[in-house]
């Protein structure tokens, strides 16, 4: 999967965002190691704290369908280029994919790839609890 295609799928999901409070629609496309794609968008709530970020929607969809190994996630937002994931989502992504690639579109439309470790070094994971890495 070409990462510019993954970004297009994130942008398509972004159009489904339910973001009437922030007016900050976000879309993601999460690519599994075996080539499946799960999309997500943010889902807000009148009780603001119950808002779910696009990244966690996609992770929930994937896990609930038996997929746990991820290669990359493309993240797009109408009002932020690039849109880096919030701290809570970085931690949730680290649970399943400490080496995940994060794919963004820069203002000039080029594709920009970081790793989760770039934005969340020294991760707290199962290994921190004494479990397997
Ligand atoms: N949001 C996401 O969905 N993902 C991010 O990476 C950053 C923030 C959402 C949460 C909220 O609905 C809106 O963007 C503004 O914070």
């Amino acid at each position: 999967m070409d990462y510019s295609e993954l970004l297009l799928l994130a942008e398509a999901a972004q159009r489904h965002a339910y973001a009437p409070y922030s007016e900050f629609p976000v879309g993601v496309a999460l690519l599994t190691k075996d080539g499946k794609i799960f999309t997500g968008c943010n889902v807000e709530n009148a009780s603001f704290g119950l808002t779910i970020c696009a990244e966690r929607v996609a992770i929930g969809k994937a896990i609930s369908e038996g997929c746990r190994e991820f290669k990359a996630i493309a993240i797009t937002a109408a009002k932020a280029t690039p849109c880096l994931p919030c701290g809570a989502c970085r931690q949730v992504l680290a649970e399943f994919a400490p080496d995940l690639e994060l794919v963004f579109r820069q203002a000039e439309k080029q594709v920009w790839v970081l790793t989760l470790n770039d934005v969340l070094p020294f991760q707290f994971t199962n290994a921190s609890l004494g479990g397997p890495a």
Side-chain angles (χ1 to χ4, degrees):
M1 155 70 55
D2 181 270
Y3 283 173
S4 56
E5 283 176 56
L6 200 63
L7 280 160
L8 286 177
L9 292 172
E11 282 163 352
Q14 181 189 306
R15 289 193 273 279
H16 296 300
Y18 178 71
Y21 305 106
S22 71
E23 297 184 343
F24 190 87
V26 181
V28 304
L30 178 63
L31 176 66
T32 68
K33 285 190 175 166
D34 61 358
K36 295 192 184 76
I37 293 166
F38 294 89
T39 59
C41 63
N42 48 339
V43 183
E44 297 188 346
N45 190 274
S47 171
F48 295 170
L50 294 179
T51 290
I52 312 171
C53 290
E55 293 87 336
R56 279 177 281 156
V57 168
I59 282 277
K61 286 170 71 176
I63 299 302
S64 66
E65 296 199 20
C67 296
R68 292 187 180 176
E69 296 199 16
F70 305 109
K71 176 171 170 49
I73 187 168
I75 307 173
T76 65
K79 295 180 180 172
T81 310
C83 177
L84 286 147
C86 78
C89 288
R90 294 177 198 199
Q91 179 65 26
V92 170
L93 294 170
E95 180 73 21
F96 299 102
D99 303 318
L100 190 68
E101 290 180 297
L102 309 179
V103 182
F104 307 97
R105 212 188 285 290
Q106 289 181 310
E108 313 77 31
K109 299 280 177 200
Q110 296 109 314
V111 177
W112 186 40
V113 182
L114 295 177
T115 68
L116 189 59
N117 203 55
D118 290 329
V119 300
L120 187 67
F122 307 108
Q123 297 170 6
F124 183 83
T125 64
N126 192 20
S128 316
L129 299 172

